[in-house]
Amino acid sequence: MPLTMAQPGENILIKRVGGRPETRQFLENLGFVVGGRVSVITKSGGDVIVAVKGSRVAVNSSMAAKIMV
C-alpha cells in the first residue's frame, strides 16, 4: 500500500520507492530507502509527516503515493 494509506502512530517498513529516477533519488536522500522504517506522525489531506532516520520529514500526497509500505 502507498504511504498515504498508513495511519498516524504506525511504524512501517518501506518495501519500494517508485517514480522517475530523479524522484527516487530525492526520496532516498531524505531517508526513504527500501528496508528502512518510518513512523507516521500525522496526516493532513493526503500529505504526511513522518519520522525517518531520526528526523521529521513532510512529503506531499503525490510523493507519498510513490512510497510503498
Side-chain angles (χ1 to χ4, degrees):
M1 75 177 172
L3 182 59
T4 54
M5 302 292 290
Q7 297 302 311
E10 283 189 272
N11 186 6
I12 47 183
L13 180 71
I14 298 172
K15 296 183 180 173
R16 185 172 63 87
V17 179
R20 301 164 109 179
E22 309 86 50
T23 303
R24 287 195 308 268
Q25 184 65 47
F26 175 75
L27 290 170
E28 287 175 6
N29 288 341
L30 290 175
F32 295 98
V33 294
V34 174
R37 288 211 164 272
V38 296
S39 179
V40 178
I41 297 171
T42 188
K43 290 174 47 173
S44 175
D47 299 338
V48 184
I49 298 176
V50 298
V52 58
K53 296 196 175 190
S55 299
R56 287 184 179 192
V57 178
V59 290
N60 64 25
S61 57
S62 66
M63 286 287 191
K66 292 173 176 43
I67 303 167
M68 297 295 153
V69 295

